[in-house]
Amino acid sequence: DDARFAGLLGQARQALSAARTAHETALREAKRTADKLQILRHMQQSYEGFGRAVRAVLKSTAPWHKGVAGAVAELLTVPEEYVTALSTALAGSQQHIVTEDTETAKAAIGYLKAQKLGRATFLPLSTIQVRQPSDADAVRSMTGAVGWANELVTTDAKYRRVADHLLARTLVVDTLDHALAIARETRYRLRIVTLDGELLSPGGSLTGGSRGHKEGSYLGRQGEIAALEKEQAAAAKETAARQKEEDDARAAYSTCQ
């Protein structure tokens, strides 16, 4: 009986040790995810990577600021698989500032001039125009075409005009070979971007090469934050499960003693 008891006690001790190790591992992973999420959220809140003038306008507490909707990148949601393409398509316009009207834009420009903070581009909702390609449907059906860039982003209805203004004439294509074929077929009059971020401009110029990490762009961080938030939720469940296993193992060990 003593031998049997010692064997059961040893098994219980091993089970508790294993459960404790699993719980500690889950806690470390949860902390790693939480820390990364905190860093990325801070980068977003501080407009990391944005120009000085843009940051100044977005953070201003002046009365005219109530008419500032935000930077373009803040107002658009881009699926993870299109982040590279849309970051390329938007380029510097990610930092353009959307305002309710021209009066707000005028006041913000006056503020930048008075404070000598630099320049920014404004998109007043009351004046921006949208130009749609005349052959949009035909082009969208060409081999390799993923869709017009404005169709691949989501935004509040109020800001749909912003997405259309910036992206309605940019075609997203799956590969560079297909992009080149479409460019030839349309006589190099389209602006085309590939999923890997190559850019074909009207007239035939081609831009491509290696890119920085997605954390370098506001849109890239948005996607990473969304993924980490899902990881965090899963980590919380995992940690709770490992905690219960450790508690059960500790109770079983106590019973054996």
Side-chain angles (χ1 to χ4, degrees):
D1 285 346
D2 288 345
R4 180 172 177 276
F5 174 76
L8 291 173
L9 186 61
Q11 289 175 3
R13 186 184 296 112
Q14 287 179 348
L16 175 58
S17 177
R20 184 183 295 119
T21 298
H23 185 206
E24 289 172 351
T25 299
L27 286 171
R28 283 196 300 272
E29 285 300 308
K31 186 178 185 305
R32 181 195 64 79
T33 300
D35 289 348
K36 182 73 178 292
L37 196 51
Q38 183 179 16
I39 290 169
L40 290 178
R41 282 174 173 163
H42 176 73
M43 291 173 75
Q44 295 296 74
Q45 289 164 4
S46 61
Y47 298 105
E48 183 80 19
F50 280 35
R52 180 188 179 200
V54 176
R55 291 199 308 273
V57 170
L58 295 175
K59 292 182 176 183
S60 174
T61 56
W64 51 260
H65 188 266
K66 66 181 184 297
V68 174
V72 167
E74 290 183 276
L75 304 178
L76 304 182
T77 300
V78 181
E80 178 69 18
E81 63 268 31
Y82 303 136
V83 166
T84 298
L86 269 294
S87 293
T88 300
L90 287 167
S93 63
Q94 290 184 59
Q95 298 187 39
H96 289 181
I97 300 168
V98 179
T99 62
E100 297 290 341
D101 48 43
T102 53
E103 288 305 307
T104 299
K106 181 180 175 182
I109 289 172
Y111 165 72
L112 292 175
K113 289 173 71 176
Q115 300 298 318
K116 294 182 171 56
L117 291 168
R119 298 163 64 86
T121 298
F122 296 85
L123 301 177
L125 292 171
S126 58
T127 61
I128 57 173
Q129 303 295 308
V130 176
R131 291 187 303 150
Q132 301 280 0
S134 58
D135 55 351
D137 291 336
V139 172
R140 192 190 295 108
S141 66
M142 290 182 176
T143 301
V146 176
W148 292 100
N150 62 314
E151 301 169 343
L152 303 179
V153 304
T154 55
T155 186
D156 289 347
K158 182 178 183 179
Y159 306 123
R160 173 46 61 181
R161 177 181 289 270
V162 174
D164 294 343
H165 170 75
L166 294 172
L167 298 170
R169 299 178 68 82
T170 298
L171 184 70
V172 178
V173 177
D174 57 358
T175 67
L176 181 56
D177 286 340
H178 283 148
L180 290 167
I182 291 174
R184 284 193 298 270
E185 193 169 343
T186 56
R187 299 184 179 181
Y188 301 98
R189 60 182 174 78
L190 294 181
R191 187 168 186 264
I192 303 171
V193 63
T194 70
L195 294 178
D196 281 342
E198 290 96 5
L199 176 66
L200 284 71
S201 300
S205 65
L206 176 62
T207 304
S210 64
R211 298 180 60 85
H213 194 274
K214 287 182 181 178
E215 284 180 9
S217 77
Y218 195 98
L219 288 179
R221 291 195 296 266
Q222 271 186 342
E224 197 154 354
I225 286 172
L228 283 170
E229 285 173 342
K230 290 180 181 178
E231 276 187 38
Q232 190 175 48
K237 290 182 180 179
E238 176 72 9
T239 301
R242 299 292 82 82
Q243 173 76 66
K244 185 178 184 306
E245 285 182 3
E246 183 179 352
D247 291 345
D248 290 346
R250 183 175 289 105
Y253 179 66
S254 296
T255 301
C256 288
Q257 286 181 306

